[in-house]
Amino acid sequence: MVLEKLSKIIADQLGMEQSKITQTTSLKEDLLADSLDIVEIIMSIEEEFGIQVDDDAALAFKTVGDVVEYIEKMM
């Protein structure tokens, strides 16, 4: 469920197909997300899941799976 919601947020933000986003998808290499994209995705995550994403944690996100793991831990 977290992956599904997260992949929708990312797909909407980056204008791509949700089906192409998996746990192993790299945020920067595969999705070509720049720092502004990441900030906007983080803001959407905070709103959608009702959590606060720590700046240090956000900098450590490499894959979609990293983000899913963080969200699940914070919920």
Side-chain angles (χ1 to χ4, degrees), residues 17-54:
E17 288 182 43
Q18 185 175 352
S19 61
K20 295 187 188 275
I21 300 168
T22 68
Q23 291 264 17
T24 59
T25 302
S26 166
L27 296 170
K28 291 185 177 162
E29 286 80 21
D30 296 332
L31 300 177
L32 305 175
D34 62 24
S35 55
L36 180 59
D37 292 327
I38 301 290
V39 168
E40 291 176 350
I41 289 167
I42 297 291
M43 288 172 31
S44 296
I45 289 168
E46 290 176 336
E47 187 176 316
E48 176 69 32
F49 294 99
I51 62 171
Q52 184 68 38
V53 178
D54 180 80

mmCIF file of all heavy atoms in Angstrom, residues 17-54:
data_model
loop_
_atom_site.group_PDB
_atom_site.id
_atom_site.type_symbol
_atom_site.label_atom_id
_atom_site.label_comp_id
_atom_site.label_asym_id
_atom_site.label_seq_id
_atom_site.Cartn_x
_atom_site.Cartn_y
_atom_site.Cartn_z
ATOM 1 N N GLU A 17 4.778 7.145 -16.028
ATOM 2 C CA GLU A 17 3.861 6.052 -15.732
ATOM 3 C C GLU A 17 4.185 5.443 -14.362
ATOM 4 O O GLU A 17 5.333 5.129 -14.072
ATOM 5 C CB GLU A 17 3.977 4.957 -16.789
ATOM 6 C CG GLU A 17 3.405 5.329 -18.133
ATOM 7 C CD GLU A 17 3.523 4.178 -19.120
ATOM 8 O OE1 GLU A 17 3.243 3.034 -18.727
ATOM 9 O OE2 GLU A 17 3.905 4.438 -20.263
ATOM 10 N N GLN A 18 3.141 5.278 -13.555
ATOM 11 C CA GLN A 18 3.291 4.702 -12.218
ATOM 12 C C GLN A 18 3.837 3.277 -12.293
ATOM 13 O O GLN A 18 4.602 2.860 -11.435
ATOM 14 C CB GLN A 18 1.943 4.733 -11.510
ATOM 15 C CG GLN A 18 1.974 4.275 -10.073
ATOM 16 C CD GLN A 18 0.632 4.426 -9.376
ATOM 17 O OE1 GLN A 18 -0.293 5.019 -9.922
ATOM 18 N NE2 GLN A 18 0.521 3.892 -8.186
ATOM 19 N N SER A 19 3.481 2.541 -13.328
ATOM 20 C CA SER A 19 3.883 1.134 -13.445
ATOM 21 C C SER A 19 5.392 0.956 -13.610
ATOM 22 O O SER A 19 5.919 -0.127 -13.390
ATOM 23 C CB SER A 19 3.158 0.483 -14.628
ATOM 24 O OG SER A 19 3.512 1.139 -15.834
ATOM 25 N N LYS A 20 6.109 2.015 -13.981
ATOM 26 C CA LYS A 20 7.557 1.918 -14.171
ATOM 27 C C LYS A 20 8.341 2.097 -12.870
ATOM 28 O O LYS A 20 9.553 1.977 -12.856
ATOM 29 C CB LYS A 20 8.018 2.971 -15.185
ATOM 30 C CG LYS A 20 7.467 2.737 -16.575
ATOM 31 C CD LYS A 20 8.077 3.693 -17.563
ATOM 32 C CE LYS A 20 7.405 3.619 -18.897
ATOM 33 N NZ LYS A 20 7.866 2.622 -19.796
ATOM 34 N N ILE A 21 7.618 2.389 -11.777
ATOM 35 C CA ILE A 21 8.275 2.665 -10.500
ATOM 36 C C ILE A 21 8.184 1.432 -9.601
ATOM 37 O O ILE A 21 7.098 0.955 -9.305
ATOM 38 C CB ILE A 21 7.626 3.884 -9.817
ATOM 39 C CG1 ILE A 21 7.749 5.112 -10.724
ATOM 40 C CG2 ILE A 21 8.268 4.140 -8.455
ATOM 41 C CD1 ILE A 21 6.916 6.291 -10.300
ATOM 42 N N THR A 22 9.349 0.925 -9.192
ATOM 43 C CA THR A 22 9.412 -0.254 -8.326
ATOM 44 C C THR A 22 10.272 0.058 -7.103
ATOM 45 O O THR A 22 10.871 1.131 -7.012
ATOM 46 C CB THR A 22 10.040 -1.452 -9.065
ATOM 47 O OG1 THR A 22 11.429 -1.158 -9.306
ATOM 48 C CG2 THR A 22 9.330 -1.744 -10.378
ATOM 49 N N GLN A 23 10.362 -0.902 -6.194
ATOM 50 C CA GLN A 23 11.179 -0.738 -4.978
ATOM 51 C C GLN A 23 12.641 -0.432 -5.323
ATOM 52 O O GLN A 23 13.312 0.289 -4.596
ATOM 53 C CB GLN A 23 11.143 -2.029 -4.136
ATOM 54 C CG GLN A 23 9.825 -2.320 -3.494
ATOM 55 C CD GLN A 23 9.741 -1.845 -2.053
ATOM 56 O OE1 GLN A 23 10.529 -1.033 -1.600
ATOM 57 N NE2 GLN A 23 8.760 -2.343 -1.341
ATOM 58 N N THR A 24 13.138 -1.003 -6.407
ATOM 59 C CA THR A 24 14.560 -0.864 -6.747
ATOM 60 C C THR A 24 14.846 0.318 -7.669
ATOM 61 O O THR A 24 15.999 0.558 -8.015
ATOM 62 C CB THR A 24 15.086 -2.155 -7.409
ATOM 63 O OG1 THR A 24 14.314 -2.417 -8.588
ATOM 64 C CG2 THR A 24 15.000 -3.340 -6.456
ATOM 65 N N THR A 25 13.820 1.071 -8.028
ATOM 66 C CA THR A 25 14.014 2.227 -8.897
ATOM 67 C C THR A 25 14.843 3.286 -8.172
ATOM 68 O O THR A 25 14.534 3.681 -7.059
ATOM 69 C CB THR A 25 12.654 2.835 -9.303
ATOM 70 O OG1 THR A 25 11.877 1.838 -9.970
ATOM 71 C CG2 THR A 25 12.823 4.016 -10.231
ATOM 72 N N SER A 26 15.907 3.739 -8.830
ATOM 73 C CA SER A 26 16.769 4.773 -8.268
ATOM 74 C C SER A 26 16.147 6.149 -8.524
ATOM 75 O O SER A 26 15.732 6.446 -9.648
ATOM 76 C CB SER A 26 18.152 4.713 -8.915
ATOM 77 O OG SER A 26 18.887 5.878 -8.624
ATOM 78 N N LEU A 27 16.092 6.970 -7.490
ATOM 79 C CA LEU A 27 15.467 8.286 -7.626
ATOM 80 C C LEU A 27 16.211 9.178 -8.618
ATOM 81 O O LEU A 27 15.590 9.841 -9.453
ATOM 82 C CB LEU A 27 15.391 8.975 -6.260
ATOM 83 C CG LEU A 27 14.515 8.280 -5.225
ATOM 84 C CD1 LEU A 27 14.704 8.913 -3.852
ATOM 85 C CD2 LEU A 27 13.057 8.325 -5.633
ATOM 86 N N LYS A 28 17.524 9.192 -8.529
ATOM 87 C CA LYS A 28 18.291 10.092 -9.393
ATOM 88 C C LYS A 28 18.664 9.457 -10.727
ATOM 89 O O LYS A 28 18.482 10.078 -11.776
ATOM 90 C CB LYS A 28 19.536 10.590 -8.665
ATOM 91 C CG LYS A 28 19.167 11.522 -7.527
ATOM 92 C CD LYS A 28 20.361 12.131 -6.858
ATOM 93 C CE LYS A 28 19.873 13.092 -5.781
ATOM 94 N NZ LYS A 28 20.852 13.442 -4.814
ATOM 95 N N GLU A 29 19.178 8.229 -10.708
ATOM 96 C CA GLU A 29 19.647 7.612 -11.947
ATOM 97 C C GLU A 29 18.493 7.168 -12.850
ATOM 98 O O GLU A 29 18.503 7.444 -14.039
ATOM 99 C CB GLU A 29 20.578 6.431 -11.664
ATOM 100 C CG GLU A 29 21.959 6.837 -11.188
ATOM 101 C CD GLU A 29 22.010 7.199 -9.711
ATOM 102 O OE1 GLU A 29 21.112 6.772 -8.942
ATOM 103 O OE2 GLU A 29 22.937 7.925 -9.317
ATOM 104 N N ASP A 30 17.509 6.475 -12.278
ATOM 105 C CA ASP A 30 16.408 5.942 -13.100
ATOM 106 C C ASP A 30 15.332 6.990 -13.386
ATOM 107 O O ASP A 30 14.817 7.066 -14.497
ATOM 108 C CB ASP A 30 15.765 4.732 -12.419
ATOM 109 C CG ASP A 30 16.728 3.560 -12.286
ATOM 110 O OD1 ASP A 30 17.647 3.435 -13.111
ATOM 111 O OD2 ASP A 30 16.560 2.766 -11.337
ATOM 112 N N LEU A 31 14.995 7.780 -12.367
ATOM 113 C CA LEU A 31 13.892 8.741 -12.519
ATOM 114 C C LEU A 31 14.373 10.130 -12.926
ATOM 115 O O LEU A 31 13.569 10.982 -13.277
ATOM 116 C CB LEU A 31 13.101 8.845 -11.205
ATOM 117 C CG LEU A 31 12.469 7.553 -10.709
ATOM 118 C CD1 LEU A 31 11.780 7.776 -9.373
ATOM 119 C CD2 LEU A 31 11.488 7.005 -11.736
ATOM 120 N N LEU A 32 15.689 10.329 -12.856
ATOM 121 C CA LEU A 32 16.289 11.627 -13.192
ATOM 122 C C LEU A 32 15.681 12.770 -12.385
ATOM 123 O O LEU A 32 15.504 13.889 -12.875
ATOM 124 C CB LEU A 32 16.174 11.910 -14.702
ATOM 125 C CG LEU A 32 16.750 10.844 -15.632
ATOM 126 C CD1 LEU A 32 16.475 11.187 -17.075
ATOM 127 C CD2 LEU A 32 18.238 10.646 -15.385
ATOM 128 N N ALA A 33 15.373 12.474 -11.112
ATOM 129 C CA ALA A 33 14.799 13.483 -10.228
ATOM 130 C C ALA A 33 15.905 14.413 -9.734
ATOM 131 O O ALA A 33 16.936 13.956 -9.245
ATOM 132 C CB ALA A 33 14.114 12.815 -9.037
ATOM 133 N N ASP A 34 15.700 15.729 -9.898
ATOM 134 C CA ASP A 34 16.681 16.682 -9.381
ATOM 135 C C ASP A 34 16.300 17.062 -7.950
ATOM 136 O O ASP A 34 15.303 16.577 -7.408
ATOM 137 C CB ASP A 34 16.806 17.903 -10.294
ATOM 138 C CG ASP A 34 15.517 18.704 -10.423
ATOM 139 O OD1 ASP A 34 14.659 18.635 -9.515
ATOM 140 O OD2 ASP A 34 15.367 19.419 -11.433
ATOM 141 N N SER A 35 17.093 17.932 -7.344
ATOM 142 C CA SER A 35 16.859 18.258 -5.934
ATOM 143 C C SER A 35 15.504 18.917 -5.710
ATOM 144 O O SER A 35 14.849 18.669 -4.696
ATOM 145 C CB SER A 35 17.985 19.130 -5.385
ATOM 146 O OG SER A 35 18.143 20.285 -6.173
ATOM 147 N N LEU A 36 15.043 19.730 -6.643
ATOM 148 C CA LEU A 36 13.731 20.355 -6.510
ATOM 149 C C LEU A 36 12.626 19.300 -6.580
ATOM 150 O O LEU A 36 11.671 19.337 -5.798
ATOM 151 C CB LEU A 36 13.515 21.419 -7.589
ATOM 152 C CG LEU A 36 12.166 22.143 -7.547
ATOM 153 C CD1 LEU A 36 11.976 22.854 -6.213
ATOM 154 C CD2 LEU A 36 12.065 23.140 -8.691
ATOM 155 N N ASP A 37 12.762 18.339 -7.503
ATOM 156 C CA ASP A 37 11.794 17.237 -7.595
ATOM 157 C C ASP A 37 11.723 16.483 -6.267
ATOM 158 O O ASP A 37 10.638 16.172 -5.775
ATOM 159 C CB ASP A 37 12.185 16.242 -8.697
ATOM 160 C CG ASP A 37 12.073 16.821 -10.096
ATOM 161 O OD1 ASP A 37 11.184 17.668 -10.330
ATOM 162 O OD2 ASP A 37 12.876 16.422 -10.960
ATOM 163 N N ILE A 38 12.895 16.201 -5.698
ATOM 164 C CA ILE A 38 12.951 15.445 -4.441
ATOM 165 C C ILE A 38 12.250 16.216 -3.325
ATOM 166 O O ILE A 38 11.458 15.640 -2.571
ATOM 167 C CB ILE A 38 14.420 15.139 -4.041
ATOM 168 C CG1 ILE A 38 15.136 14.332 -5.117
ATOM 169 C CG2 ILE A 38 14.475 14.453 -2.678
ATOM 170 C CD1 ILE A 38 14.695 12.910 -5.279
ATOM 171 N N VAL A 39 12.500 17.520 -3.241
ATOM 172 C CA VAL A 39 11.863 18.345 -2.206
ATOM 173 C C VAL A 39 10.342 18.304 -2.364
ATOM 174 O O VAL A 39 9.605 18.138 -1.388
ATOM 175 C CB VAL A 39 12.378 19.804 -2.265
ATOM 176 C CG1 VAL A 39 11.518 20.729 -1.414
ATOM 177 C CG2 VAL A 39 13.825 19.867 -1.812
ATOM 178 N N GLU A 40 9.860 18.427 -3.593
ATOM 179 C CA GLU A 40 8.418 18.406 -3.827
ATOM 180 C C GLU A 40 7.817 17.040 -3.530
ATOM 181 O O GLU A 40 6.712 16.950 -2.992
ATOM 182 C CB GLU A 40 8.121 18.863 -5.256
ATOM 183 C CG GLU A 40 8.420 20.352 -5.439
ATOM 184 C CD GLU A 40 8.234 20.852 -6.860
ATOM 185 O OE1 GLU A 40 8.047 20.029 -7.782
ATOM 186 O OE2 GLU A 40 8.294 22.077 -7.041
ATOM 187 N N ILE A 41 8.539 15.989 -3.850
ATOM 188 C CA ILE A 41 8.082 14.631 -3.530
ATOM 189 C C ILE A 41 8.018 14.452 -2.011
ATOM 190 O O ILE A 41 7.033 13.927 -1.488
ATOM 191 C CB ILE A 41 8.999 13.569 -4.189
ATOM 192 C CG1 ILE A 41 8.779 13.574 -5.714
ATOM 193 C CG2 ILE A 41 8.746 12.180 -3.603
ATOM 194 C CD1 ILE A 41 9.825 12.802 -6.498
ATOM 195 N N ILE A 42 9.040 14.926 -1.304
ATOM 196 C CA ILE A 42 9.068 14.830 0.163
ATOM 197 C C ILE A 42 7.879 15.570 0.768
ATOM 198 O O ILE A 42 7.207 15.064 1.674
ATOM 199 C CB ILE A 42 10.393 15.391 0.739
ATOM 200 C CG1 ILE A 42 11.593 14.594 0.268
ATOM 201 C CG2 ILE A 42 10.340 15.469 2.267
ATOM 202 C CD1 ILE A 42 11.731 13.205 0.794
ATOM 203 N N MET A 43 7.585 16.770 0.264
ATOM 204 C CA MET A 43 6.449 17.538 0.777
ATOM 205 C C MET A 43 5.144 16.783 0.552
ATOM 206 O O MET A 43 4.281 16.743 1.432
ATOM 207 C CB MET A 43 6.399 18.922 0.114
ATOM 208 C CG MET A 43 7.512 19.816 0.609
ATOM 209 S SD MET A 43 7.731 21.418 -0.240
ATOM 210 C CE MET A 43 6.131 21.881 -0.777
ATOM 211 N N SER A 44 5.006 16.146 -0.601
ATOM 212 C CA SER A 44 3.803 15.356 -0.886
ATOM 213 C C SER A 44 3.711 14.138 0.017
ATOM 214 O O SER A 44 2.625 13.766 0.458
ATOM 215 C CB SER A 44 3.794 14.919 -2.357
ATOM 216 O OG SER A 44 3.702 16.039 -3.204
ATOM 217 N N ILE A 45 4.859 13.511 0.294
ATOM 218 C CA ILE A 45 4.900 12.355 1.197
ATOM 219 C C ILE A 45 4.437 12.771 2.591
ATOM 220 O O ILE A 45 3.629 12.089 3.221
ATOM 221 C CB ILE A 45 6.326 11.755 1.265
ATOM 222 C CG1 ILE A 45 6.666 11.050 -0.041
ATOM 223 C CG2 ILE A 45 6.472 10.803 2.457
ATOM 224 C CD1 ILE A 45 8.135 10.680 -0.186
ATOM 225 N N GLU A 46 4.953 13.898 3.068
ATOM 226 C CA GLU A 46 4.586 14.371 4.404
ATOM 227 C C GLU A 46 3.087 14.623 4.498
ATOM 228 O O GLU A 46 2.448 14.268 5.482
ATOM 229 C CB GLU A 46 5.373 15.648 4.745
ATOM 230 C CG GLU A 46 6.843 15.380 4.980
ATOM 231 C CD GLU A 46 7.670 16.631 5.226
ATOM 232 O OE1 GLU A 46 7.257 17.733 4.799
ATOM 233 O OE2 GLU A 46 8.728 16.494 5.852
ATOM 234 N N GLU A 47 2.524 15.211 3.451
ATOM 235 C CA GLU A 47 1.092 15.491 3.425
ATOM 236 C C GLU A 47 0.266 14.205 3.327
ATOM 237 O O GLU A 47 -0.688 14.007 4.076
ATOM 238 C CB GLU A 47 0.772 16.408 2.237
ATOM 239 C CG GLU A 47 -0.656 16.898 2.211
ATOM 240 C CD GLU A 47 -0.899 17.864 1.074
ATOM 241 O OE1 GLU A 47 -0.063 18.757 0.846
ATOM 242 O OE2 GLU A 47 -1.922 17.711 0.395
ATOM 243 N N GLU A 48 0.653 13.307 2.431
ATOM 244 C CA GLU A 48 -0.100 12.075 2.192
ATOM 245 C C GLU A 48 -0.079 11.131 3.393
ATOM 246 O O GLU A 48 -1.088 10.535 3.748
ATOM 247 C CB GLU A 48 0.461 11.354 0.964
ATOM 248 C CG GLU A 48 -0.165 10.007 0.670
ATOM 249 C CD GLU A 48 -1.608 10.092 0.190
ATOM 250 O OE1 GLU A 48 -1.978 11.079 -0.477
ATOM 251 O OE2 GLU A 48 -2.370 9.155 0.488
ATOM 252 N N PHE A 49 1.094 10.988 4.009
ATOM 253 C CA PHE A 49 1.253 9.998 5.072
ATOM 254 C C PHE A 49 1.201 10.600 6.481
ATOM 255 O O PHE A 49 1.256 9.866 7.465
ATOM 256 C CB PHE A 49 2.555 9.217 4.877
ATOM 257 C CG PHE A 49 2.562 8.365 3.635
ATOM 258 C CD1 PHE A 49 3.184 8.805 2.473
ATOM 259 C CD2 PHE A 49 1.929 7.133 3.608
ATOM 260 C CE1 PHE A 49 3.185 8.037 1.314
ATOM 261 C CE2 PHE A 49 1.922 6.353 2.460
ATOM 262 C CZ PHE A 49 2.547 6.809 1.314
ATOM 263 N N GLY A 50 1.136 11.924 6.585
ATOM 264 C CA GLY A 50 1.057 12.567 7.888
ATOM 265 C C GLY A 50 2.295 12.374 8.734
ATOM 266 O O GLY A 50 2.208 12.191 9.953
ATOM 267 N N ILE A 51 3.463 12.384 8.083
ATOM 268 C CA ILE A 51 4.726 12.221 8.801
ATOM 269 C C ILE A 51 5.633 13.408 8.491
ATOM 270 O O ILE A 51 5.390 14.156 7.548
ATOM 271 C CB ILE A 51 5.448 10.906 8.422
ATOM 272 C CG1 ILE A 51 5.808 10.887 6.932
ATOM 273 C CG2 ILE A 51 4.626 9.694 8.811
ATOM 274 C CD1 ILE A 51 6.701 9.734 6.511
ATOM 275 N N GLN A 52 6.682 13.550 9.283
ATOM 276 C CA GLN A 52 7.706 14.567 9.036
ATOM 277 C C GLN A 52 8.950 13.820 8.568
ATOM 278 O O GLN A 52 9.430 12.928 9.249
ATOM 279 C CB GLN A 52 7.988 15.344 10.321
ATOM 280 C CG GLN A 52 8.959 16.495 10.160
ATOM 281 C CD GLN A 52 8.400 17.638 9.318
ATOM 282 O OE1 GLN A 52 7.230 17.957 9.401
ATOM 283 N NE2 GLN A 52 9.232 18.233 8.493
ATOM 284 N N VAL A 53 9.470 14.186 7.403
ATOM 285 C CA VAL A 53 10.669 13.529 6.877
ATOM 286 C C VAL A 53 11.888 14.338 7.305
ATOM 287 O O VAL A 53 12.010 15.513 6.968
ATOM 288 C CB VAL A 53 10.611 13.398 5.342
ATOM 289 C CG1 VAL A 53 11.892 12.759 4.815
ATOM 290 C CG2 VAL A 53 9.394 12.582 4.919
ATOM 291 N N ASP A 54 12.760 13.712 8.054
ATOM 292 C CA ASP A 54 13.992 14.323 8.531
ATOM 293 C C ASP A 54 14.903 14.644 7.333
ATOM 294 O O ASP A 54 15.023 13.849 6.406
ATOM 295 C CB ASP A 54 14.673 13.330 9.480
ATOM 296 C CG ASP A 54 15.964 13.853 10.030
ATOM 297 O OD1 ASP A 54 15.910 14.655 10.980
ATOM 298 O OD2 ASP A 54 17.025 13.463 9.516
#
